[in-house]
Amino acid sequence: PLLGLAATLVHFLVVRGFPKVTRRLASMPSVEQVELRLSYRTRSGLLGRVLELCTSRGFLVTDVQVDSAEGEAGGQAAVVLRLEGKGSAHPLVEELTDWDGVFEVGLRSHRESTE
């Protein structure tokens, strides 16, 4: 009888508790992985400011790839930043397009579930 009572309690705990736990986990924000691609004028301190902006908005910078082309007057560089965060990266793109010295900004997003 004790084993039967324990099995019944575990059954109802799982049947009643599991849906509540899964609803709570589903409502948690998922981590977003994005690639932020931009080209900018070199030697203007923009890369440092871009990194500072990304981290201040709650993103973790996981990788930075820079390709500079110094042949032009003033120089131009292309950079790919891999970011992780729980917020949207679209406000970053909007702000960076308004910056003086930034020529082009692009975003590629990959959702990663919290499983």
Side-chain angles (χ1 to χ4, degrees), residues 68-99:
S68 63
E70 294 288 338
E72 301 175 23
Q76 183 173 339
V79 66
V80 177
L81 302 174
R82 286 194 178 86
L83 308 173
E84 288 184 0
K86 294 189 178 183
S88 173
H90 293 288
L92 285 175
V93 173
E94 291 175 12
E95 185 167 342
L96 288 171
T97 55
D98 293 335
W99 283 18

Side-chain angles (χ1 to χ4, degrees), residues 19 32 40 53:
E32 185 176 2
Y40 63 96
L53 175 69

